Amino acid sequence: MKVEIDHKSGFCFGVVNAIKKAEETLDKGGMLFCLGDIVHNGMEIKRLESIGLITIDREKYFTLKNCQVLLRAHGEPPETYTYAKANNIELIDATCPVVLKLQQRVKEAFQEMEQKDGQVIIFGKKGHAEVIGLNGQTNNQSIIVEHEDDLAKINSNKPAYLFAQTTKPVDEFYELAQKIESRSTGELVVKDTICRQVANRVPRMKEFAAQHDILIFVGGKKSSNAKFLFEVCLKVNPNSHFVSSPDELDSGWFEGKKSAGICGATSTPQWLMEEVAELVKSY
């Protein structure tokens, strides 16, 4: 059986940068905390924790003093930086440049909307780290739209800016913009802030999934990007399976198959896809 790893799968630039910064800091010795999961992949977190990274939640962060804390690619609200300054915390800031730029744009839009009695709308997943960071730029006054039901929160008479979490699907964003526009009497400024490094994986995934008899998608159970990209593969190739580690493979899946494709999310490490591929080759 031919086994192929999709060479365009795996970590995006923001995740590569965050992990590199974590490894470089840990190499120097000392303790390093990471605010939230550095990446939505349990196996990669386990690997980094084995070399000293300590994952903490926001509650724990606001009790720390005199230490080093890594900020992951998703970005953080202003209060995180304010607390660090006041408590002698050295921040290793690995916020993705795409997210940083978006935070700045949201902040500027909010300042403009305050003058016009307008609103800032963010298409994103409620409670997602990136969305928390974006909402923080507006003193937590953004309208977060995750589902169609959330549209009721928008005042259709007021001017508005619409932004998107960087990892949302492009077509869903434009569908949403159309719905808001059709209800709106106030001016709506639509800003497509979706990261194309992530969005462009969709056509590639469809193509890759169609080339193989069976597809193994490797991803973390907490990763929204993994769930979304797996659904993309499943629609093209019904013989697709989602695994988080090689232990979850079933040799029976591969009986009579001539080719197997291995791919993953923006949060899936290359080494993990390679481990899965090695086990598949042994069947």
Side-chain angles (χ1 to χ4, degrees):
M1 182 173 60
K2 179 191 166 199
V3 179
E4 183 191 0
I5 297 175
D6 175 22
H7 66 278
K8 291 191 176 171
S9 272
F11 289 158
C12 63
F13 166 77
V15 174
V16 169
N17 182 50
I19 287 169
K20 188 179 168 209
K21 284 195 175 190
E23 289 173 334
E24 284 171 356
T25 308
L26 288 165
D27 278 349
K28 293 171 191 165
M31 197 178 275
L32 178 63
F33 294 101
C34 180
L35 181 47
D37 291 344
I38 190 168
V39 62
H40 291 144
N41 188 280
M43 300 288 282
E44 180 64 4
I45 289 168
K46 215 177 270 184
R47 181 187 75 82
L48 288 164
E49 286 178 345
S50 75
I51 59 170
L53 189 67
I54 302 161
T55 305
I56 55 165
D57 58 18
R58 296 187 65 74
E59 201 181 333
K60 172 72 176 166
Y61 172 75
F62 287 106
T63 66
L64 297 177
K65 283 178 169 59
N66 313 316
C67 59
Q68 285 185 312
V69 177
L70 179 85
L71 303 185
R72 58 203 174 152
H74 302 91
E76 281 293 320
E79 70 203 45
T80 303
Y81 295 87
T82 307
Y83 182 82
K85 220 172 188 177
N87 291 276
N88 193 35
I89 294 173
E90 185 193 340
L91 294 178
I92 314 297
D93 197 343
T95 305
C96 173
V98 177
V99 174
L100 268 180
K101 189 180 175 188
L102 172 53
Q103 285 186 347
Q104 189 56 39
R105 291 172 78 182
V106 167
K107 188 178 179 177
E108 286 165 5
F110 177 65
Q111 287 165 350
E112 187 189 321
M113 288 295 99
E114 271 193 311
Q115 304 298 315
K116 297 178 177 177
D117 188 31
Q119 52 209 331
V120 171
I121 306 160
I122 297 168
F123 172 45
K125 187 180 177 185
K126 290 168 198 162
H128 188 282
E130 184 188 321
V131 174
I132 291 168
L134 294 174
N135 197 15
Q137 310 306 315
T138 70
N139 299 327
N140 299 320
Q141 289 178 47
S142 297
I143 297 164
I144 313 299
V145 175
E146 185 174 354
H147 307 294
E148 203 165 333
D149 304 353
D150 299 317
L151 294 176
K153 298 178 203 165
I154 300 167
N155 186 329
S156 55
N157 302 317
K158 289 186 175 183
Y161 267 92
L162 172 65
F163 296 95
Q165 179 184 333
T166 58
T167 52
K168 294 303 278 181
V170 177
D171 53 351
E172 283 183 28
F173 175 69
Y174 281 103
E175 274 171 36
L176 176 77
Q178 220 165 10
K179 281 174 188 167
I180 297 170
E181 215 149 22
S182 67
R183 300 169 178 218
S184 195
T185 54
E187 186 200 358
L188 177 69
V189 180
V190 177
K191 296 286 184 186
D192 178 351
T193 51
I194 292 162
C195 175
R196 288 309 189 264
Q197 199 190 9
V198 176
N200 291 344
R201 294 195 179 199
V202 174
R204 165 64 193 171
M205 284 280 173
K206 287 179 178 173
E207 190 188 316
F208 185 76
Q211 289 168 358
H212 299 281
D213 297 335
I214 180 170
L215 187 104
I216 304 299
F217 190 97
V218 188
K221 290 185 170 70
K222 283 187 188 177
S223 170
S224 309
N225 176 253
K227 286 173 195 158
F228 167 65
L229 288 176
F230 174 65
E231 288 302 321
V232 167
C233 294
L234 197 57
K235 277 177 189 162
V236 175
N237 186 339
N239 202 8
S240 295
H241 301 269
F242 188 109
V243 301
S244 293
S245 76
D247 308 343
E248 294 173 16
L249 291 167
D250 181 338
S251 58
W253 295 342
F254 302 91
E255 281 170 23
K257 304 292 186 291
K258 288 180 180 171
S259 75
I262 317 287
C263 59
T266 53
S267 53
T268 306
Q270 181 71 24
W271 64 263
L272 186 55
M273 287 189 284
E274 283 167 6
E275 278 189 12
V276 167
E278 281 311 304
L279 189 52
V280 171
K281 282 173 190 171
S282 71
Y283 293 145

